């Protein structure tokens, strides 16, 4: 099979199996090996419908599916043969380097944690999200919600994982790391963040505190925060973007010159929205497990899925897991390995 | 003097004393009494320059000014006769019902806390911000950064203060309160937030958890959160809005039809930006002290200052402080009065 193999949940997301199959075909054409996991008859029918025999795509049957409304962790326990669990299990077995699902986020997290196991030395896995930012370069933020809180000793590992991900997967040379806080001064923030700052101070690439308004301004390449704050920030960005673009649309439609002008600016606006579309970045990534789990947006298109698969393939090719393990072994003396 | 008196820091903000004086004149014309605090010769010269003797405006001399770059709390201790301290002291002395400053936020907070004292029963003051949201109705979020963290027992008071502010100052009937978390289910969130949820469950108007994306969607009227998260959310919104509007502008300018269209949509866009302009809402408000301290944006225009003064006057007129004290006395049995 191909040099790099990605296990793809064929049943995950609002447009499954059409989008996963389209994404699989797009990625397979670039030489990425795909294990397409899910209901075999449905997947084969969709492959045929999209007019491809699927060179480089191997269908792996999984009889169950976890819906987007199910409670993730519970569903993973209840349905051991769900497509997302099977995809993660293939990574655990070494048959694939990474898993991708656009289905239930909680289920993907639970399945990846269960089947991929942590990299030795990693205190706990974290979700990294890649945000479109000023100047066209991405910013990585983690933890975006794998855990609901963090202790100070978790931050140096978040910084390390974020830095390696930015460098090896996103191709950012010498990534700079910022600690999310409520003021740039080292003395600003909660007790947890003050203690985290002290632990981060001498780590590679650390550039000090950043504030909420600095994230998309790309003051740094990697933003570290606890999973509660990271998740709130991510959803606040989504909400603010949705609100503002709605306001822009309403404002433009409110007058006749506005409507005419709106028609003229529409193509430019569409390109802008594509550029900041989460689909472009392939989704959130669970870091710290043996393999990579990429969590695509529920409404991913085929292109979104293909980008998620590319991201997963890049992480596999760049030996991200081995890099983490090596870096942790070296820095092991400084970071506490205790859970 | 007028029925309602507001002490206004004449030296606070990037455009002082021009903006504070312009705001004072605008508010005074509506019958709000103004104690304009700051360097008396400078303020009198600016009043004369703006062609007004300032009916309803009394100038109160304060020899010192705290700059925007100074460390707020330290500066308030070092300069007891700074304009912002004097304005807050006038409230503490009962000469004004509320204070307004567009100067150093930290200094305004420190001066208000020092000179206005807490309302009996209030565990600690909180900053409430009023956000422009969907459907043209405002949403109140608190704490936006008065404290760097919160304990579960602080949340019912945040909810109470936010509810009374929304009802009596913003005129929202029966305001609904949401707890900011990372999932709508009561079991989602950090330990602190889970415990807060349990304490909030039976309080008036409580509507459950909300997520970051729900804030501007106006799922609720009042969002309660700890000061760290609230501050990060507020600045993330500012950063996202700045980033997106910049992207819209760049997209529009990138093509000739886009440039023509951009000229046509400009008036509608300007009205939209005015509608979501922080100046419209008069700024952040420190709640829980005997009086109201309104913290205007540093770059407030005269209109922004006038709106901040109106907000302060409304709070005074609606007897917000007395309302809090009464509500806390009634609910005192349920909330812990311990600091």
């Amino acid at each position: 099979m191909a040099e790099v193999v990605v296990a793809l949940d064929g049943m995950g997301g609002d447009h499954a199996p059409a989008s996963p199959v389209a994404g699989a075909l797009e990625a397979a054409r670039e030489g990425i090996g795909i294990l397409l996991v899910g209901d075999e008859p449905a997947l084969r029918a969709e492959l045929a419908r999209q007019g491809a025999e699927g060179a480089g795509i191997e269908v792996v049957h999984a009889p169950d599916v976890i819906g987007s409304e199910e409670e993730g962790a519970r569903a993973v326990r209840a349905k051991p043969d769900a497509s997302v669990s099977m995809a993660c299990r293939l990574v655990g077995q070494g048959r694939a380097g990474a898993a991708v699902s656009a289905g239930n986020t909680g289920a993907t997290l639970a399945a990846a944690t269960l089947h991929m196991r942590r990299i030795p030395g990693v205190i706990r896995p974290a979700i990294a999200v890649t945000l479109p930012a000023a100047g066209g370069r991405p910013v990585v933020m983690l933890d975006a919600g794998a855990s609901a809180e963090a202790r100070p000793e978790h931050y140096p590992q978040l910084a390390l994982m974020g830095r390696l991900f930015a460098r090896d997967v996103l191709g950012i040379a010498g990534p700079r790391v910022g600690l999310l806080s409520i003021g740039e001064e080292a003395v600003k923030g909660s007790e947890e963040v003050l203690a985290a700052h002290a632990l981060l101070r001498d780590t590679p690439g650390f550039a000090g505190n950043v504030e909420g308004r600095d994230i998309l301004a790309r003051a740094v390449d990697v933003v570290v925060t606890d999973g509660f704050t990271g998740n709130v920030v991510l959803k606040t960005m989504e909400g603010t973007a949705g609100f503002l673009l709605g306001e822009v649309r309403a404002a433009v439609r409110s007058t006749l010159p506005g409507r005419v002008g709106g028609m003229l600016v529409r193509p430019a606006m569409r390109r802008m929205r594509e550029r900041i579309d989460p689909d472009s970045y392939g989704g959130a990534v669970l870091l710290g497990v043996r393999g990579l789990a990429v969590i695509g947006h529920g409404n991913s298109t085929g292109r979104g899925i293909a980008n998620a698969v590319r991201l997963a393939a890049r992480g596999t090719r760049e030996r991200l897991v081995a890099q983490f393990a090596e870096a942790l072994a070296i820095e092991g003396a400084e970071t506490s390995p205790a859970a």
Side-chain angles (χ1 to χ4, degrees), chain A:
Chain A
M1 207 159 175
E3 172 209 2
V4 168
V5 178
V6 173
L8 171 62
D9 176 4
M11 313 307 281
D14 305 342
H15 313 298
S19 284
V21 166
L25 288 167
E26 190 176 325
R29 274 197 294 274
E30 296 166 13
I32 301 171
I34 306 283
L35 298 177
L36 185 61
V37 188
D39 182 66
E40 186 160 0
L43 292 175
R44 293 217 177 276
E46 183 62 28
L47 278 164
R49 201 185 66 75
Q50 296 195 21
E53 282 308 297
I57 300 177
E58 182 183 328
V59 175
V60 177
H61 182 64
D64 272 335
V65 175
I66 295 176
S68 61
E69 295 306 306
E70 296 187 58
E71 204 282 296
R74 195 180 306 137
V76 165
R77 281 193 301 273
K79 299 178 179 174
D81 293 328
S83 55
V84 64
S85 296
M86 193 74 90
C88 293
R89 202 180 290 133
L90 290 168
V91 178
Q93 294 166 347
R95 291 183 59 196
V100 171
S101 176
N104 186 311
T105 297
T108 309
L109 268 184
T113 309
L114 181 66
H115 295 297
M116 295 189 192
R117 291 164 303 145
R118 279 179 295 178
I119 295 169
V122 166
I123 306 177
R124 61 187 189 187
I127 295 177
V129 289
T130 304
L131 305 165
R137 264 174 64 171
V139 167
V140 179
M141 179 174 71
L142 73 169
D143 177 20
S147 308
E149 40 217 319
R151 290 196 304 274
E153 61 267 33
H154 294 137
Y155 285 81
Q157 287 209 344
L158 289 173
L160 171 67
M161 294 195 290
R163 210 158 42 79
L164 293 181
F165 180 78
R167 190 190 70 188
D168 296 337
V169 178
L170 302 178
I172 298 173
R176 294 172 356 116
V177 178
L179 171 65
L180 187 60
S181 190
I182 56 175
E184 284 176 20
E185 309 83 357
V187 297
K188 287 288 179 70
S190 60
E191 277 178 40
E192 168 199 313
V193 167
L194 297 186
H197 190 107
L199 295 177
L200 285 168
R201 192 171 292 140
D202 299 318
T203 59
F206 185 60
N209 287 356
V210 293
E211 297 188 65
R213 68 166 75 95
D214 303 322
I215 303 173
L216 293 184
R218 273 201 74 264
V220 293
D221 305 292
V222 177
V223 174
V224 292
T225 187
D226 67 277
F228 183 88
T229 308
N231 192 276
V232 167
V233 161
L234 185 65
K235 287 176 178 166
T236 297
M237 285 180 175
E238 287 177 21
T240 306
F243 168 72
L244 266 181
L245 293 176
E247 291 287 311
V248 168
R249 209 175 299 121
V252 161
R253 281 184 189 154
S254 64
T255 64
L256 181 61
R259 280 197 294 278
V260 175
M263 281 168 54
L264 292 169
V265 303
R266 197 171 300 153
M269 288 285 286
R270 193 179 306 124
R271 277 194 303 280
M272 185 274 283
R273 293 195 68 164
E274 271 164 24
R275 209 162 72 70
I276 63 168
D277 185 349
D279 268 11
S280 308
Y281 290 98
V285 180
L286 184 69
L287 298 177
V289 289
R290 299 184 201 232
L292 224 56
V294 180
I295 303 156
H297 274 246
N299 59 358
S300 292
T301 57
R303 176 174 155 265
I305 301 269
N307 280 333
V309 172
R310 284 184 191 107
L311 188 70
R314 208 145 56 232
T316 307
R317 209 174 279 130
E318 299 294 336
R319 302 172 50 253
L320 205 56
V321 170
Q323 302 266 16
F324 284 155
E326 283 161 28
L328 287 169
I330 293 166
E331 303 188 6
E334 291 164 60
T335 43
S336 153

